Amino acid sequence: GDFDGTSFTSDQEEHKWIDWGTDNYAGVTYNNMPNNDRVFIGWMSNWAYAQETPTEKWRSAMTLPRKLALRSVNDSIELINYPLESFDKIRVLGIEEEISIDPKSDRSLDFNHFNSSEIIFKTTSQAFVLEFQNSLGEKLNLILDGQNQKFELDRSKSGNILFDEDFAKNVQTMPIPNLPKGEYEIRILMDWSSIEVFINEGQYVMTAQIFPNEFYKTLVVSNLGDDTLELNRFTISGVKSIW
């Protein structure tokens, strides 16, 4: 768009979402931050079921604070939102390796507490599923479908979903039409009852609540493509509690 020193006029025709998940609402930003950063925090809930969520001592939470920025991706200007670097101070490295998975195959990884973790890797693949599981048969699916230019989050079997008929009724879908064809980053931050997914360092973001009856302890990565799935610099880190 154009800025004349007083007013900004956008030439953007379509609306663009900061976050495509069901549970990031009423975000606020902060002035006078270090380096003049624009920091965003959202309410991690949804009025459709905010008063029914199965929690005891609290009701909802806030998203991680995220820095807003503009970035050029494939000749398009994108609004980026990505966790502040200060989050790294409460991260404890658990697993680090290079992962290769044959076409139409999968790989299981175990971790003692995925519901307080960060998973991060880089890849060029655009056809895979990440499935978090526990011993109760509950599972949370993240599906990247590059052929149809979409990313999906399916919490229909993620745990306690019966408190509201619409909570897990639909698979959450995020269009990813401008995802780079080369290497990009996947970063997942999971807490006891939430997941925040950042694709290509905040180009595409999805936030959702989850209520497993037992912590997820297994991650199954499935390669849906015809080429080897390479997960480069794959790490699983624990996250220290702030309580």
Side-chain angles (χ1 to χ4, degrees):
D2 295 310
F3 180 62
D4 63 7
T6 302
S7 301
F8 177 80
T9 303
S10 176
D11 57 14
Q12 178 179 303
E13 296 181 358
E14 76 283 4
H15 294 294
K16 293 186 177 182
W17 290 89
I18 289 178
D19 191 314
W20 285 84
T22 55
D23 298 304
N24 186 349
Y25 178 72
V28 296
T29 64
Y30 293 86
N31 298 317
N32 302 316
M33 299 294 290
N35 305 313
N36 291 319
D37 289 344
R38 177 64 62 174
V39 175
F40 168 99
I41 299 177
W43 179 53
M44 195 187 293
S45 195
N46 189 310
W47 277 121
Y49 41 75
Q51 299 180 70
E52 306 297 333
T53 51
T55 56
E56 295 178 0
K57 298 183 182 300
W58 53 273
R59 186 75 74 185
S60 300
M62 307 303 287
T63 68
L64 282 170
R66 307 170 183 180
K67 178 181 176 179
L68 299 181
L70 296 176
R71 186 198 307 157
S72 294
V73 182
N74 296 334
D75 299 323
S76 177
I77 302 297
E78 300 278 9
L79 178 60
I80 305 300
N81 68 118
Y82 197 65
L84 300 184
E85 292 181 2
S86 55
F87 174 83
D88 298 346
K89 296 178 182 179
I90 61 172
R91 184 176 59 190
V92 180
L93 181 62
I95 298 172
E96 182 175 16
E97 62 177 299
E98 302 293 312
I99 295 178
S100 296
I101 303 174
D102 292 335
K104 305 301 187 291
S105 299
D106 58 53
R107 164 82 185 274
S108 294
L109 300 111
D110 294 324
F111 192 67
N112 62 347
H113 195 349
F114 274 113
N115 289 91
S116 183
S117 72
E118 176 200 65
I119 300 97
I120 186 168
F121 59 88
K122 293 191 175 183
T123 187
T124 58
S125 173
Q126 297 198 11
F128 58 86
V129 177
L130 306 174
E131 182 174 280
F132 294 92
Q133 304 175 347
N134 62 24
S135 66
L136 301 177
E138 297 168 349
K139 56 187 179 181
L140 172 68
N141 281 306
L142 308 178
I143 305 104
L144 197 139
D145 180 358
Q147 182 176 357
N148 293 302
Q149 298 185 329
K150 64 181 181 179
F151 176 86
E152 296 181 326
L153 186 152
D154 183 353
R155 62 183 179 185
S156 61
K157 299 179 181 179
S158 60
N160 188 344
I161 63 171
L162 299 179
F163 59 90
D164 181 88
E165 64 179 7
D166 293 325
F167 176 75
K169 184 176 181 180
N170 299 313
V171 174
Q172 299 178 41
T173 300
M174 172 169 62
I176 52 172
N178 198 33
L179 188 66
K181 298 301 181 184
E183 188 178 68
Y184 62 94
E185 180 191 85
I186 296 283
R187 185 178 184 184
I188 300 166
L189 296 164
M190 191 182 297
D191 207 343
W192 285 31
S193 56
S194 66
I195 181 168
E196 299 175 70
V197 182
F198 301 87
I199 299 177
N200 196 29
E201 299 180 335
Q203 179 185 0
Y204 297 111
V205 180
M206 183 172 277
T207 302
Q209 293 184 92
I210 49 173
F211 300 99
N213 291 293
E214 177 184 280
F215 298 142
Y216 301 127
K217 293 189 175 182
T218 301
L219 169 61
V220 179
V221 184
S222 300
N223 181 4
L224 304 181
D226 296 323
D227 299 315
T228 301
L229 170 59
E230 303 286 353
L231 305 183
N232 303 319
R233 300 177 292 285
F234 182 95
T235 63
I236 302 175
S237 300
V239 179
K240 297 177 183 178
S241 174
I242 63 170
W243 295 100

Short mmCIF file of all heavy atoms in Angstrom, two decimals, residues 19-24 46 49 140-143 150-156 166-175 195 205-210:
data_model
loop_
_atom_site.label_atom_id
_atom_site.label_comp_id
_atom_site.label_asym_id
_atom_site.label_seq_id
_atom_site.Cartn_x
_atom_site.Cartn_y
_atom_site.Cartn_z
N ASP A 19 -3.70 -15.78 12.60
CA ASP A 19 -3.68 -17.13 13.17
C ASP A 19 -4.94 -17.85 12.71
O ASP A 19 -6.05 -17.34 12.86
CB ASP A 19 -3.64 -17.03 14.71
CG ASP A 19 -3.36 -18.34 15.40
OD1 ASP A 19 -3.99 -19.35 15.03
OD2 ASP A 19 -2.53 -18.35 16.32
N TRP A 20 -4.78 -19.06 12.16
CA TRP A 20 -5.90 -19.79 11.58
C TRP A 20 -6.52 -20.79 12.55
O TRP A 20 -7.49 -21.47 12.19
CB TRP A 20 -5.44 -20.52 10.32
CG TRP A 20 -5.25 -19.62 9.15
CD1 TRP A 20 -4.13 -18.87 8.84
CD2 TRP A 20 -6.20 -19.32 8.12
NE1 TRP A 20 -4.33 -18.16 7.69
CE2 TRP A 20 -5.60 -18.41 7.21
CE3 TRP A 20 -7.50 -19.75 7.87
CZ2 TRP A 20 -6.25 -17.92 6.09
CZ3 TRP A 20 -8.15 -19.26 6.75
CH2 TRP A 20 -7.52 -18.36 5.87
N GLY A 21 -6.00 -20.91 13.77
CA GLY A 21 -6.57 -21.83 14.73
C GLY A 21 -7.84 -21.28 15.34
O GLY A 21 -8.17 -20.10 15.22
N THR A 22 -8.57 -22.15 16.06
CA THR A 22 -9.83 -21.74 16.67
C THR A 22 -9.62 -20.93 17.95
O THR A 22 -10.57 -20.33 18.45
CB THR A 22 -10.67 -22.97 17.02
OG1 THR A 22 -9.89 -23.85 17.84
CG2 THR A 22 -11.11 -23.71 15.78
N ASP A 23 -8.41 -20.94 18.50
CA ASP A 23 -8.24 -20.45 19.87
C ASP A 23 -7.18 -19.35 20.00
O ASP A 23 -6.29 -19.42 20.85
CB ASP A 23 -7.91 -21.63 20.78
CG ASP A 23 -9.04 -22.64 20.81
OD1 ASP A 23 -10.17 -22.24 21.12
OD2 ASP A 23 -8.80 -23.81 20.49
N ASN A 24 -7.31 -18.33 19.20
CA ASN A 24 -6.49 -17.12 19.35
C ASN A 24 -7.42 -15.95 19.02
O ASN A 24 -7.74 -15.70 17.87
CB ASN A 24 -5.29 -17.14 18.41
CG ASN A 24 -4.35 -15.98 18.65
OD1 ASN A 24 -4.67 -15.03 19.37
ND2 ASN A 24 -3.19 -16.03 18.03
N ASN A 46 -12.08 -19.52 22.90
CA ASN A 46 -13.10 -19.28 21.90
C ASN A 46 -14.43 -19.16 22.63
O ASN A 46 -14.78 -20.03 23.45
CB ASN A 46 -13.13 -20.44 20.91
CG ASN A 46 -14.01 -20.18 19.71
OD1 ASN A 46 -15.16 -19.77 19.84
ND2 ASN A 46 -13.48 -20.44 18.53
N TYR A 49 -17.04 -22.05 23.41
CA TYR A 49 -16.96 -23.04 24.49
C TYR A 49 -16.09 -22.56 25.65
O TYR A 49 -15.72 -23.35 26.52
CB TYR A 49 -16.39 -24.36 23.96
CG TYR A 49 -15.24 -24.21 22.99
CD1 TYR A 49 -13.95 -23.87 23.42
CD2 TYR A 49 -15.43 -24.41 21.62
CE1 TYR A 49 -12.91 -23.74 22.54
CE2 TYR A 49 -14.39 -24.27 20.72
CZ TYR A 49 -13.13 -23.94 21.18
OH TYR A 49 -12.08 -23.80 20.30
N LEU A 140 -3.63 -36.61 18.46
CA LEU A 140 -3.75 -35.28 17.85
C LEU A 140 -2.98 -35.31 16.54
O LEU A 140 -1.78 -35.63 16.53
CB LEU A 140 -3.19 -34.21 18.78
CG LEU A 140 -3.07 -32.80 18.22
CD1 LEU A 140 -4.45 -32.20 17.99
CD2 LEU A 140 -2.25 -31.92 19.15
N ASN A 141 -3.64 -34.99 15.43
CA ASN A 141 -3.02 -35.08 14.11
C ASN A 141 -2.76 -33.71 13.50
O ASN A 141 -3.66 -32.84 13.50
CB ASN A 141 -3.90 -35.88 13.15
CG ASN A 141 -3.76 -37.37 13.36
OD1 ASN A 141 -2.66 -37.91 13.33
ND2 ASN A 141 -4.88 -38.03 13.58
N LEU A 142 -1.57 -33.53 12.97
CA LEU A 142 -1.19 -32.36 12.18
C LEU A 142 -0.83 -32.86 10.79
O LEU A 142 0.04 -33.72 10.65
CB LEU A 142 0.00 -31.63 12.80
CG LEU A 142 -0.08 -31.27 14.28
CD1 LEU A 142 1.22 -30.60 14.73
CD2 LEU A 142 -1.27 -30.36 14.56
N ILE A 143 -1.52 -32.35 9.78
CA ILE A 143 -1.33 -32.84 8.41
C ILE A 143 -0.90 -31.71 7.50
O ILE A 143 -1.61 -30.69 7.39
CB ILE A 143 -2.64 -33.46 7.86
CG1 ILE A 143 -3.16 -34.55 8.80
CG2 ILE A 143 -2.43 -34.01 6.45
CD1 ILE A 143 -4.34 -34.13 9.63
N LYS A 150 -2.69 -26.85 1.89
CA LYS A 150 -3.37 -26.67 3.16
C LYS A 150 -2.64 -27.41 4.28
O LYS A 150 -1.92 -28.38 4.05
CB LYS A 150 -4.82 -27.14 3.07
CG LYS A 150 -4.98 -28.63 2.82
CD LYS A 150 -6.46 -29.01 2.72
CE LYS A 150 -6.63 -30.50 2.48
NZ LYS A 150 -8.07 -30.89 2.41
N PHE A 151 -2.86 -26.91 5.49
CA PHE A 151 -2.37 -27.54 6.71
C PHE A 151 -3.58 -27.78 7.59
O PHE A 151 -4.45 -26.91 7.72
CB PHE A 151 -1.37 -26.64 7.42
CG PHE A 151 -0.88 -27.18 8.73
CD1 PHE A 151 0.19 -28.05 8.78
CD2 PHE A 151 -1.50 -26.81 9.92
CE1 PHE A 151 0.64 -28.55 9.99
CE2 PHE A 151 -1.06 -27.30 11.14
CZ PHE A 151 0.02 -28.18 11.18
N GLU A 152 -3.67 -28.97 8.20
CA GLU A 152 -4.84 -29.32 8.99
C GLU A 152 -4.46 -29.74 10.40
O GLU A 152 -3.41 -30.38 10.61
CB GLU A 152 -5.63 -30.44 8.32
CG GLU A 152 -6.22 -30.04 6.97
CD GLU A 152 -7.03 -31.15 6.34
OE1 GLU A 152 -6.65 -32.33 6.53
OE2 GLU A 152 -8.01 -30.84 5.65
N LEU A 153 -5.33 -29.42 11.34
CA LEU A 153 -5.19 -29.87 12.72
C LEU A 153 -6.48 -30.59 13.10
O LEU A 153 -7.56 -30.00 13.06
CB LEU A 153 -4.94 -28.69 13.66
CG LEU A 153 -4.63 -28.98 15.13
CD1 LEU A 153 -3.76 -27.88 15.73
CD2 LEU A 153 -5.90 -29.15 15.97
N ASP A 154 -6.35 -31.86 13.44
CA ASP A 154 -7.50 -32.70 13.76
C ASP A 154 -7.42 -33.09 15.24
O ASP A 154 -6.57 -33.87 15.64
CB ASP A 154 -7.51 -33.94 12.88
CG ASP A 154 -8.73 -34.83 13.11
OD1 ASP A 154 -9.50 -34.54 14.03
OD2 ASP A 154 -8.88 -35.81 12.36
N ARG A 155 -8.31 -32.52 16.06
CA ARG A 155 -8.34 -32.84 17.49
C ARG A 155 -9.57 -33.67 17.86
O ARG A 155 -9.95 -33.74 19.03
CB ARG A 155 -8.30 -31.55 18.32
CG ARG A 155 -9.47 -30.61 18.12
CD ARG A 155 -9.31 -29.33 18.92
NE ARG A 155 -10.44 -28.42 18.70
CZ ARG A 155 -10.53 -27.19 19.19
NH1 ARG A 155 -9.54 -26.72 19.93
NH2 ARG A 155 -11.57 -26.43 18.96
N SER A 156 -10.17 -34.33 16.88
CA SER A 156 -11.42 -35.06 17.10
C SER A 156 -11.24 -36.26 18.03
O SER A 156 -12.22 -36.75 18.60
CB SER A 156 -12.01 -35.52 15.76
OG SER A 156 -11.12 -36.41 15.09
N ASP A 166 -19.39 -28.70 19.54
CA ASP A 166 -18.69 -28.10 18.40
C ASP A 166 -17.18 -28.03 18.58
O ASP A 166 -16.47 -27.64 17.66
CB ASP A 166 -19.22 -26.68 18.15
CG ASP A 166 -20.66 -26.69 17.67
OD1 ASP A 166 -21.03 -27.61 16.93
OD2 ASP A 166 -21.41 -25.77 18.05
N PHE A 167 -16.68 -28.40 19.78
CA PHE A 167 -15.26 -28.23 20.07
C PHE A 167 -14.37 -28.93 19.04
O PHE A 167 -13.39 -28.37 18.56
CB PHE A 167 -14.93 -28.73 21.48
CG PHE A 167 -13.47 -28.68 21.82
CD1 PHE A 167 -12.85 -27.47 22.10
CD2 PHE A 167 -12.70 -29.84 21.85
CE1 PHE A 167 -11.50 -27.42 22.42
CE2 PHE A 167 -11.35 -29.80 22.16
CZ PHE A 167 -10.74 -28.57 22.45
N ALA A 168 -14.69 -30.16 18.72
CA ALA A 168 -13.85 -30.93 17.79
C ALA A 168 -14.65 -31.41 16.58
O ALA A 168 -14.29 -32.37 15.91
CB ALA A 168 -13.23 -32.12 18.51
N LYS A 169 -15.73 -30.70 16.28
CA LYS A 169 -16.62 -31.12 15.20
C LYS A 169 -15.93 -31.06 13.84
O LYS A 169 -16.12 -31.95 13.01
CB LYS A 169 -17.87 -30.23 15.19
CG LYS A 169 -18.92 -30.63 14.17
CD LYS A 169 -20.15 -29.73 14.31
CE LYS A 169 -21.23 -30.11 13.33
NZ LYS A 169 -22.43 -29.23 13.47
N ASN A 170 -15.14 -30.03 13.61
CA ASN A 170 -14.51 -29.84 12.30
C ASN A 170 -13.00 -29.87 12.40
O ASN A 170 -12.42 -29.43 13.40
CB ASN A 170 -14.94 -28.50 11.70
CG ASN A 170 -16.44 -28.41 11.49
OD1 ASN A 170 -17.04 -29.33 10.94
ND2 ASN A 170 -17.03 -27.31 11.91
N VAL A 171 -12.38 -30.40 11.37
CA VAL A 171 -10.92 -30.33 11.27
C VAL A 171 -10.54 -28.88 10.97
O VAL A 171 -11.14 -28.24 10.10
CB VAL A 171 -10.41 -31.25 10.15
CG1 VAL A 171 -8.91 -31.05 9.93
CG2 VAL A 171 -10.71 -32.71 10.48
N GLN A 172 -9.58 -28.35 11.69
CA GLN A 172 -9.15 -26.97 11.47
C GLN A 172 -8.22 -26.95 10.24
O GLN A 172 -7.26 -27.71 10.16
CB GLN A 172 -8.43 -26.44 12.70
CG GLN A 172 -9.32 -26.41 13.93
CD GLN A 172 -8.62 -25.92 15.17
OE1 GLN A 172 -7.84 -24.98 15.13
NE2 GLN A 172 -8.90 -26.56 16.30
N THR A 173 -8.53 -26.07 9.30
CA THR A 173 -7.80 -26.02 8.03
C THR A 173 -7.21 -24.64 7.81
O THR A 173 -7.90 -23.63 7.96
CB THR A 173 -8.73 -26.38 6.86
OG1 THR A 173 -9.26 -27.71 7.07
CG2 THR A 173 -7.97 -26.35 5.54
N MET A 174 -5.94 -24.62 7.43
CA MET A 174 -5.24 -23.37 7.16
C MET A 174 -4.68 -23.40 5.73
O MET A 174 -3.88 -24.27 5.39
CB MET A 174 -4.09 -23.20 8.17
CG MET A 174 -3.15 -22.03 7.87
SD MET A 174 -2.03 -21.69 9.28
CE MET A 174 -1.12 -23.25 9.40
N PRO A 175 -5.10 -22.48 4.86
CA PRO A 175 -4.51 -22.41 3.51
C PRO A 175 -3.02 -22.01 3.60
O PRO A 175 -2.66 -21.14 4.38
CB PRO A 175 -5.32 -21.32 2.82
CG PRO A 175 -6.55 -21.15 3.65
CD PRO A 175 -6.16 -21.48 5.05
N ILE A 195 -1.72 -26.13 21.89
CA ILE A 195 -0.67 -26.32 20.89
C ILE A 195 -0.62 -25.08 20.00
O ILE A 195 -1.66 -24.55 19.61
CB ILE A 195 -0.91 -27.60 20.06
CG1 ILE A 195 0.24 -27.79 19.04
CG2 ILE A 195 -2.27 -27.59 19.37
CD1 ILE A 195 0.23 -29.17 18.39
N VAL A 205 0.36 -19.69 10.95
CA VAL A 205 0.29 -20.00 12.39
C VAL A 205 -1.09 -20.55 12.73
O VAL A 205 -2.11 -20.10 12.21
CB VAL A 205 0.58 -18.73 13.23
CG1 VAL A 205 0.50 -19.06 14.72
CG2 VAL A 205 1.94 -18.16 12.88
N MET A 206 -1.10 -21.53 13.64
CA MET A 206 -2.36 -22.12 14.10
C MET A 206 -2.26 -22.40 15.60
O MET A 206 -1.29 -23.00 16.06
CB MET A 206 -2.65 -23.40 13.33
CG MET A 206 -3.97 -24.06 13.69
SD MET A 206 -4.37 -25.45 12.59
CE MET A 206 -5.10 -24.58 11.18
N THR A 207 -3.28 -21.96 16.35
CA THR A 207 -3.33 -22.14 17.80
C THR A 207 -4.62 -22.86 18.17
O THR A 207 -5.70 -22.48 17.71
CB THR A 207 -3.29 -20.78 18.52
OG1 THR A 207 -2.10 -20.08 18.15
CG2 THR A 207 -3.32 -20.96 20.03
N ALA A 208 -4.51 -23.90 19.01
CA ALA A 208 -5.70 -24.66 19.39
C ALA A 208 -5.56 -25.19 20.81
O ALA A 208 -4.46 -25.51 21.27
CB ALA A 208 -5.92 -25.82 18.43
N GLN A 209 -6.69 -25.29 21.49
CA GLN A 209 -6.74 -25.95 22.79
C GLN A 209 -6.92 -27.45 22.60
O GLN A 209 -7.57 -27.90 21.65
CB GLN A 209 -7.90 -25.41 23.63
CG GLN A 209 -7.73 -23.96 24.04
CD GLN A 209 -8.87 -23.52 24.95
OE1 GLN A 209 -8.76 -23.61 26.16
NE2 GLN A 209 -9.94 -23.04 24.35
N ILE A 210 -6.36 -28.22 23.52
CA ILE A 210 -6.51 -29.68 23.54
C ILE A 210 -6.61 -30.10 25.00
O ILE A 210 -6.05 -29.43 25.88
CB ILE A 210 -5.32 -30.39 22.87
CG1 ILE A 210 -3.99 -29.82 23.42
CG2 ILE A 210 -5.38 -30.27 21.35
CD1 ILE A 210 -2.75 -30.56 22.95
#
